[in-house]
Amino acid sequence: MKLREASALKQGEGAFNLSNYEEVSKQFSWDTIHPQFSWHRTNKVNMAYECIDRHVEDGYGEKIALIYMNGHFKETHTFSNLKKKTDEWGYLLKSQGVKKGDRVFVFLPKHPDCYIAVLAAIKIGAIVGPLFEAFMEEAIFDRMYDCEASVLITNEELLQRVPVSKLPHLQSIYITDNIEHPIAKSIPKLVEEVSVNGEIVEWVDLNDGMIIHYTSGSTGKPKGVLHAHRVMIQQYQTGQWVLDLKEDDVYWCTAHPGWVTGSSYGIFAPWLNRATIVVHGGRFDAKEWFEVLERTGVTVWYSAPTAFRLLMDKSDLIPDYSFSLRHILSVGEPLNPEVITWGVEKLNLQIHDTWWMTETGAQLIVNLPSAKIKPGSMGRPIPGIKAAIIDEEGNTVHPYELGLLAIKKGWPSMMKEIWKNEEKYHSYFVGDWYISGDLAYMDEEGYIFFQGRNDDMINSSGERIGPFEVESKLIEHQAVLEAAVIGKPDRVRGEIVKAFIVLAEGYEETEELKKEIQTFVRNKLSAHAMPREIEILRELPKTQISGKILRRALREDKDVDRGTDTVDGGTGPTSVA
Ligand code: WTA
């Protein structure tokens, strides 16, 4: 297929409706997207160039690239402005010796500086590691230590949580506030001192490392999922097909760039498509979110079921606002039909579910804007993706039969590697199939229905939480002898983290102790890893042979030894907001 035909597939030109989805899927090849990128002609690759500089060169420098809102504060940045800033910050890093492939970590709140820092690092060929702003000391340490980060960009406040003295590879720290700091250099000050010259963009190979996101599995510590610049091919195309981005759209992805949704679809997909993005600072607040939607004129909105469910509870506020929304999408956790119905009734739009993972780099299974939605289904594979439901041996199962959701290897945004862990990388594959770890079934029209996980991974508010990390943290507390952690179904959050604990000798179950243990996990790891419920048991159910904790039995509430003398019958939740 030639360029002309590739662009003929664009959304809005009639190519992507249900009637020809099968047809397009049959003939589509990712190579046909390549001519849309400058590197196809020049052989010079860089994601930051494609997201920003290219638009300035094409005459869109004055277009608004970013609208930032925090409370009533609003600020905008044009593509020219972002080019200037990423050039300055990039030059600064380069002039201080940061090289291609170095790991530059960005620990900043949802603020324009975070977006500038991420793209500046990518521009000079570094591998950027964005960190979620709510991470605490040990979550930060695990990530930065594992991939030997040499540079950190943060602010004065967040720097307090970084265990600098325990990070031997860390050579320089830059803070985005213009203040004196004993160990960090202030970017604003340094930028005033340097005058940018020479080419800032480091031209790389499509397969060179670009961004690393740590993600949880059911065992061990979080793994570093490394993505290469080539992710842009699929992010760009799904930005058109799935997000349906058009020239005048104002697009809001609510995720922080520390999560893959916040980078793939919070930065890259929209900017590759030259859309205006909205960045909202601060915590979730229903009223503020409705205000963001109204005041920035969001037309395309990408969020998660937990957020929608929280907004559902505040539906009575909606009539006070006037929205410009035309397309809504969801990701990260099962989208219940109830939420779709709410969208139709209150926002006059169907919410489109999308499925993918940190490892997959971009959307794979989706509800295309023009296709029929089957509530309860995540949709169908985008063209260029082959998905199947298989058994443990790799054989495809029949329609409606439960099995492993698997994807045929070889899509452009597939992870490059798991950082320093080849074995883990290979463990994802059975033959030609990438095994997602999700359980699902497919109907005869190819729609896929999520049914749960094949392992113990917890999904709370769309965030992946490894039970092992939380259990390891819990047993560091002196009152905890043994711990097992599961996901417990929850109406709003999908699942909550629930911990079963056997107390060490000399400790009594009290509400204060449970609260203390919760705070311990929250302060060391992060708020989302904190068990919202703690139940004290006499003993944990274990396998007889290996003595492994049976999380499944706890989930199903089988063989659970509550003893006879627990304070509240062992079922009293201790919920900390
Ligand atoms: C889950 C987020 C149901 C799934 C982009 C997957 C979903 C994990 C959906 C990846 C969905 C993601 N419906 N479950 N539409 N999307 N998941 O790596 O279990 O943070 O394996 O990537 O979230 O989470 P991750």
Side-chain angles (χ1 to χ4, degrees), residues 241-243 301-306 308-309 327-337 339-340 350-356 363-369 371-382 438 447-451:
W241 285 343
V242 188
L243 304 179
W301 184 28
Y302 200 12
S303 196
T306 294
F308 295 129
R309 286 188 291 259
H327 186 33
I328 311 180
L329 305 102
S330 172
V331 67
E333 36 170 341
L335 179 66
N336 30 330
V339 179
I340 300 185
Q350 285 194 316
I351 301 177
H352 291 68
D353 199 8
T354 64
W355 177 92
W356 55 293
Q363 296 158 338
L364 298 179
I365 295 166
V366 306
N367 286 282
L368 290 166
K372 176 175 71 178
I373 286 184
K374 293 190 185 179
S377 163
M378 311 189 290
R380 293 177 295 179
I382 55 171
D438 285 1
Y447 281 79
I448 295 170
F449 294 74
F450 177 85
Q451 297 293 295

Side-chain angles (χ1 to χ4, degrees), residues 209-226:
M210 178 187 84
I211 192 164
I212 190 160
H213 284 290
Y214 278 78
T215 193
S216 304
S218 59
T219 54
K221 291 210 183 256
K223 320 271 180 311
V225 176
L226 179 66

Side-chain angles (χ1 to χ4, degrees), residues 563-575:
T564 49
D565 53 355
T566 45
V567 171
D568 54 4
T571 51
T574 312
S575 205

Side-chain angles (χ1 to χ4, degrees), residues 554-568:
L554 291 166
R555 269 200 300 270
E556 292 166 3
D557 201 20
K558 276 194 206 131
D559 307 320
V560 177
D561 183 2
R562 296 204 159 84
T564 49
D565 53 355
T566 45
V567 171
D568 54 4

Side-chain angles (χ1 to χ4, degrees), residues 10-78:
K10 277 185 198 167
Q11 188 58 40
E13 291 170 22
F16 256 91
N17 53 45
L18 190 68
S19 59
N20 69 1
Y21 164 82
E22 280 83 7
E23 204 45 47
V24 178
S25 294
K26 250 183 249 155
Q27 42 160 303
F28 179 76
S29 145
W30 288 107
D31 304 346
T32 60
I33 308 299
H34 296 188
Q36 316 248 346
F37 295 94
S38 67
W39 44 258
H40 184 74
R41 286 174 279 111
T42 61
N43 235 351
K44 292 169 157 183
V45 177
N46 189 298
M47 172 69 102
Y49 173 82
E50 297 290 337
C51 280
I52 297 181
D53 299 24
R54 186 187 190 191
H55 307 317
V56 177
E57 287 172 17
D58 289 348
Y60 295 90
E62 293 319 301
K63 184 175 175 179
I64 307 261
L66 188 158
I67 306 173
Y68 172 61
M69 258 191 86
N70 194 347
H72 285 286
F73 178 77
K74 195 170 152 192
E75 152 189 312
T76 57
H77 293 264
T78 60

Side-chain angles (χ1 to χ4, degrees), residues 252-269:
W252 185 24
C253 167
T254 57
H256 183 279
W259 304 116
V260 76
T261 305
S263 67
S264 294
Y265 291 95
I267 305 179
F268 308 131

